[in-house]
Amino acid sequence: MSYRRAWLLLEDMNITFDHPVAHASVGGRGGGGVVLTPFGTRLVAGYRQLESSLQPLANTYLEDFSRHIKATAPKRTIKSSSIKRKSARAR
C-alpha cells in the first residue's frame, strides 16, 4: 500500500467515525508521526478479535475447498509477446 493511500484511508476513518481514530503531528525536529487515540486502540483490538473469531470458520471452508485441488495441476506458460500484443490492442 502506498504512503498516500494509507494517509487517505486514515483520514477517511477519522471522518467516518464519531471519534477520531488517530492524531497526526506535523514533522519538525523530531519528525512527524501518528498516534492512535483510545478509540483507535479499541477499534484495532475489536478488529483483531473479529479476525481471530472468524479464523476457525475460514479454516473449515478452506480445508473443504482444498480437497478439490487437483494433485497435478497443469502448469501454464504465457509468452510475454502475446501479453504485449493484448495490452497494445486494449489501448
Side-chain angles (χ1 to χ4, degrees):
M1 175 183 307
S2 73
Y3 184 78
R4 176 161 169 70
R5 175 84 174 133
W7 275 108
L8 291 173
L9 288 171
L10 181 59
E11 181 183 2
D12 188 48
M13 286 192 299
N14 276 337
I15 293 169
T16 301
F17 290 105
D18 60 356
H19 296 302
V21 174
H23 290 294
S25 61
V26 180
R29 186 170 185 184
V34 175
V35 177
L36 285 177
T37 63
F39 177 75
T41 302
R42 287 193 351 249
L43 184 66
V44 171
Y47 176 81
R48 296 290 182 222
Q49 186 176 4
L50 173 67
E51 186 178 43
S52 65
S53 298
L54 289 174
Q55 194 63 53
L57 180 63
N59 289 342
T60 300
Y61 281 100
L62 292 174
E63 185 179 314
D64 180 48
F65 293 136
S66 69
R67 291 187 207 127
H68 300 282
I69 296 173
K70 295 178 184 178
T72 55
K75 293 184 180 180
R76 294 184 178 182
T77 57
I78 300 173
K79 295 179 183 178
S80 61
S81 59
S82 64
I83 295 171
K84 290 177 186 174
R85 273 186 273 143
K86 287 179 183 178
S87 63
R89 277 188 252 148
R91 293 181 195 157

